[in-house]
Amino acid sequence: MIAAGEVIERPASVVKELVENALDAGATEISVEIRGGGVEQIRVADNGYGIPHDEVELAFQRFATSKLSDASDLDAIPTLGFRGEALPSIASVARLSVVTRHADDDSGTRLEITEGRIVDRQRQGASPGTAMTVRQLFRNVPARRKFLRTTATETSHIQNMVTRYALAYPEVRFALDTGNSSLLTPGSGSLREAIAAIHGLNVAENMLDISVVDERSGQSTVGGVISQPALSRANRGYMSFFVNRRWVQSRMLGYALEQAYHGFLKERRYPLAVVNITIDYDQVDVNVHPSKTEVRFRSGDRVFSAIQQAVRQTLTAHSPVPEIRRAGATHPAYSPASRQPSRYFWPIEPFQPSPAPNAERTGELIPNEQDAASPTSNGDGGFTHKETLPVLRVLGQVQSTYIAAEGPDGMYLIDQHAAHERVLFEQIKADAATSAPQSQSLLEPLTIELNPRQQELAHAHQHLFSSLGLLIEPFGGDVYILRGVPSILVEVDPVRAFIDMLDEMAQGGDVESWSDRAAYSLACHAAIRAGKVLTHGEMTALTRQLEQCQQPHTCPHGRPTIIHLSGSLLEREFGRR
């Protein structure tokens, strides 16, 4: 029932199995040394419980394990290892030596095994714990050794494996020595300190904590850290997922994280994340694949939703405004929370959260001086806008594209198209959610010819279009009639906007994104363009509307709406510092 076949595919597989055994043994310090990409030598030492003297040989028998008592234990597996296949599999394809001492034994035991046969066994002085040394991996399997990658590649796989478990167990001190490089984590229990040791201090400082707490148990079900939107990578290699602190590979979990970042990151950019899902052991099956990196959830949709909820709430609440640094800076910078303005930084309080009625119906930028002078009011007396966006004083327009504003610590530049697009997107979504779209009938209905894919979308999402204020109906064949459009499209070519919206929706791969893609396509068409000259009142109105958005820092496509030039940067550039 626990047999799964060969588990040693490459040197990283050996490191994984031995590190997992060390963690199961309660180790607080784990040392990994490799030479030749792990093919020449791998040594993993720990200070865990050790193996009792009379059970050392038994540990290398196939399917012998001390982590299960009977078959029913397979229904809820709390340990990383459980099959009893790793040690005999390693010993069968290499020369292996183990020195171990159980905490209750007076001395340790040394065992030498070559290609699965015990060649030496003796007592030896040793400290509590276990040290496994694997030499000449795949010495008797030349075909497998022939198809291993380069030393650098195999070393990279081992580094990735060790760093993942260093992130999953920040209370354990990990030391990795590859011969050319080394890694040392503090083992302090702080995830941020572990991240700093692995990815650098700048990355650790700009990560956001996530947490979802189960109301019934009071325990966190999703925890960890995620990167701020301005800190991203070009591949998915920096996203690590753990289930009960077991590192897993899961497309579902990765997709949930990427969807939560939708609108915060540009396309083909990916976040850094360390996400741990805590779940009852009987709700997840880890006995799926020999490598134990694939799992199956009994309620996968709940896990998916929990991750999205935790990530989205954190991003919405804490995403800061990206700050421009001097040329030569090698890392992104952010406006720290300590720079939040005081309540009376400006003599005039920010606008009320609800925009002017006319602006809400048409998307126009209509200033309302009465609202500008009205103080905000909420439970704690603070601002009603997002705390991560400071209150700004509009100064003017740059190149008829950017709004220049003064903030509590320097200058801010707002992309007028991206900002208006964000405002309209959230307005469209809010109207659709309340089933109160602002639609305007066309004096002369327009005919539209659609291709088969567009026809399928138009037919399948009739209700969605109605909720957005689009009145579309089939006319016959591939021709449809457009009878009404949202009021924000009154000055836009409605046929082109509708076609582009269908094309945008066609790029989506999931039902949940249809409405979002439709909404931000409409918002993009209706938003003011770069090059349009705005009055001071229009710029102020747009800035105030952006402050009231749930996610004011990026447009729906992920481009930034606002950037920050700090006061210290200006002082340096003008020679004042």
Side-chain angles (χ1 to χ4, degrees), residues 4 33 56 66 95 99 130 146 188 190 192 221 234 239 296 328 333 485 521-522 555 563 565:
E33 299 176 10
V56 176
S66 60
R95 294 178 56 193
V99 177
T130 302
K146 176 181 178 181
S188 63
S190 170
R192 288 183 183 272
T221 57
M239 302 189 306
R296 291 175 183 166
V485 297
S521 179
L522 293 179
C555 76
I563 59 175
L565 288 80

Side-chain angles (χ1 to χ4, degrees), residues 430-451:
D431 289 344
T434 58
S435 300
Q438 301 295 329
S439 181
Q440 180 170 319
S441 298
L442 300 176
L443 292 178
E444 295 184 6
L446 301 174
T447 58
I448 308 175
E449 293 185 6
L450 304 179
N451 62 37

Side-chain angles (χ1 to χ4, degrees), residues 4 45 59 124 194 207 212 218 238 258 280 294 330 362 370 391 414 425 430 470 483 500 528 542 548:
Q124 178 177 314
M207 301 293 278
V212 172
Y238 294 85
E258 292 175 32
D280 292 339
E294 297 180 13
T330 58
T362 65
Q370 182 177 358
V391 185
I414 300 173
F425 173 77
L470 284 163
R483 297 190 180 277
D500 288 350
I528 55 176
L542 176 57
Q548 304 304 330

